[in-house]
Amino acid sequence: MNLRGEIRGWFRGEIADEKETREQYNHDASIFEVEPELVLTPTDAEDIKELVSFVREKKASDATLSITPRAAGTCMSGGSLTSSILIDLTRHM
């Protein structure tokens, strides 16, 4: 099962892996561009809690797996960019 499928089983928020969506999040106010594998929009703190637990468990078999929170994307150092899981906190939180 792919990462999206594993998360879909318990994550209540939106999950996006379409190229267009990932491209919207591949940059911030810096000069860097890094495209995330998934963009998650959690509905509440419980979604985030479950995601952190999931990534902690999966980290042993996939060291590249990580979570990067993002709000407005105004960071000028690339801090809101990731090639793994990006969580957008602006929609529901």
Side-chain angles (χ1 to χ4, degrees):
M1 182 179 289
N2 65 10
L3 186 58
R4 179 189 176 119
E6 290 183 67
I7 293 172
R8 175 50 43 212
W10 47 264
F11 192 79
R12 295 177 310 229
E14 294 91 29
I15 301 175
D17 63 357
E18 301 81 19
K19 182 76 173 162
E20 305 83 37
T21 302
R22 292 183 294 123
E23 284 177 346
Q24 291 174 355
Y25 290 92
N26 76 356
H27 58 279
D28 57 8
S30 72
I31 62 171
F32 304 110
E33 288 190 6
V34 180
E35 193 166 298
E37 181 177 352
L38 287 177
V39 176
L40 305 182
T41 308
T43 57
D44 56 23
E46 190 63 29
D47 267 350
I48 295 172
K49 177 182 165 188
E50 292 295 324
L51 181 62
V52 169
S53 294
F54 171 80
V55 169
R56 186 186 70 236
E57 291 173 17
K58 290 289 188 180
K59 198 84 162 142
S61 61
D62 183 358
T64 65
L65 197 57
S66 67
I67 303 167
T68 301
R70 180 173 173 146
T74 58
C75 181
M76 295 185 73
S77 66
S80 61
L81 304 177
T82 184
S83 61
S84 191
I85 299 171
L86 186 139
I87 55 174
D88 181 348
L89 301 172
T90 60
R91 189 169 302 155
H92 303 295
M93 302 184 85

